[in-house]
Amino acid sequence: MVPQTIAWITARGLFGRRRFLLLIPLPLLVVGLAVLSRAFGVAPENWAQPVLVGLGLAVVLPVIALIVGTGVLGSEIDDGTIVHILTKPLPRWQIVLPKLVVATAVTTVTVSISLYVAGVLAHSVRLGLGLALAGLVGSLAYSALFLALSLVTRRPVLLGLVYVLVWEGLLGNFVSGTRVLSIQQYVLTIADKVAPTGLLQSKVSLPVAIIMSAVFAVGFTLLAIDRLRSFSVAGETS
């Protein structure tokens, strides 16, 4: 069983589950609101921030990454099929990395297309590309985080929602110190620096955004690999 096979099995399993249907409505909502706002002549200054940031980057991106990231491995742990993979003589990184790639790719495609379209409707192709790039970076960082959570706890979705809603959504708006550990702030900064339109308001510097995005992606990937090594054939941590 090579990494490509694991990636194929993961993708097939993801698209075969009902949870995949949950990926469709939110991106369509972003595009739909952007189209309606543009059609009715609403000034971008009045709708870009709530649609692109408040909905797109703050809700759609992390929620879809949560659904996908916790599903690529968490569901196999829950139904016991992880045992089949663990019995193979494979280094654990050859299991984690293909699943991370699939999670990142699915999240990126699902989110970045809608962000690109909304960005073009709001201002320009450059803003659309900036949002799409931000979606790619965010997809990788969020996917690594949520994949690791699926190996650390039996309630990864709950903890993921706490991070997104409480840490990023609530504390991030009132406690400035929390923003340095917020993926949402990283992607917002990246999009804003690529396309400085005034429609987005970043609150962390670009070096912090780039470095911390890499720290999240690499750090939680290594945590997931290390955690998977502690799994017994029974599918539980030792």
Side-chain angles (χ1 to χ4, degrees):
M1 183 181 293
V2 295
Q4 293 89 335
T5 304
I6 294 179
W8 166 248
I9 293 173
T10 301
R12 186 176 61 182
L14 225 125
F15 288 102
R17 297 190 184 107
R18 291 181 180 179
R19 71 165 55 195
F20 179 72
L21 297 177
L22 299 175
L23 308 183
I24 301 175
L26 285 175
L28 290 180
L29 179 60
V30 172
V31 175
L33 290 174
V35 169
L36 288 175
S37 298
R38 183 69 178 265
F40 284 99
V42 181
E45 293 78 9
N46 296 327
W47 65 266
Q49 182 75 19
V51 173
L52 300 179
V53 180
L55 179 60
L57 295 179
V59 177
V60 176
L61 173 57
V63 168
I64 288 182
L66 180 61
I67 294 171
V68 178
T70 57
V72 292
L73 193 53
S75 58
E76 294 176 354
I77 296 174
D78 293 337
D79 61 23
T81 55
I82 188 67
V83 174
H84 175 67
I85 298 177
L86 293 177
T87 55
K88 303 296 180 181
L90 285 174
R92 294 307 184 235
W93 67 265
Q94 290 190 12
I95 298 174
V96 171
L97 289 188
K99 290 182 175 295
L100 177 61
V101 169
V102 170
T104 301
V106 171
T107 304
T108 299
V109 171
T110 306
V111 174
S112 290
I113 292 176
S114 63
L115 288 176
Y116 172 79
V117 173
V120 171
L121 291 174
H123 187 272
S124 62
V125 170
R126 182 173 179 177
L127 178 57
L129 292 174
L131 288 167
L133 176 61
L136 169 60
V137 174
S139 296
L140 176 58
Y142 276 122
S143 295
L145 169 61
F146 298 141
L147 175 59
L149 283 181
S150 69
L151 290 166
V152 171
T153 175
R154 292 185 180 275
R155 292 180 173 83
V157 174
L158 176 60
L159 286 184
L161 287 174
V162 169
Y163 173 76
V164 171
L165 299 178
V166 178
W167 184 268
E168 293 192 324
L170 183 60
L171 295 179
N173 290 325
F174 299 103
V175 184
S176 59
T178 62
R179 294 168 187 160
V180 73
L181 294 176
S182 171
I183 298 173
Q184 178 190 135
Q185 294 299 326
Y186 310 155
V187 298
L188 179 57
T189 294
I190 290 171
D192 187 35
K193 298 306 180 183
V194 171
T197 61
L199 298 176
L200 309 178
Q201 299 177 356
S202 57
K203 297 178 180 178
V204 299
S205 66
L206 184 60
V208 168
I210 294 174
I211 293 172
M212 291 306 297
S213 294
V215 168
F216 264 75
V218 175
F220 282 104
T221 299
L222 293 176
L223 175 61
I225 294 171
D226 180 71
R227 191 65 176 174
L228 192 59
R229 288 196 186 104
S230 69
F231 266 60
S232 65
V233 177
E236 298 179 348
T237 53
S238 55

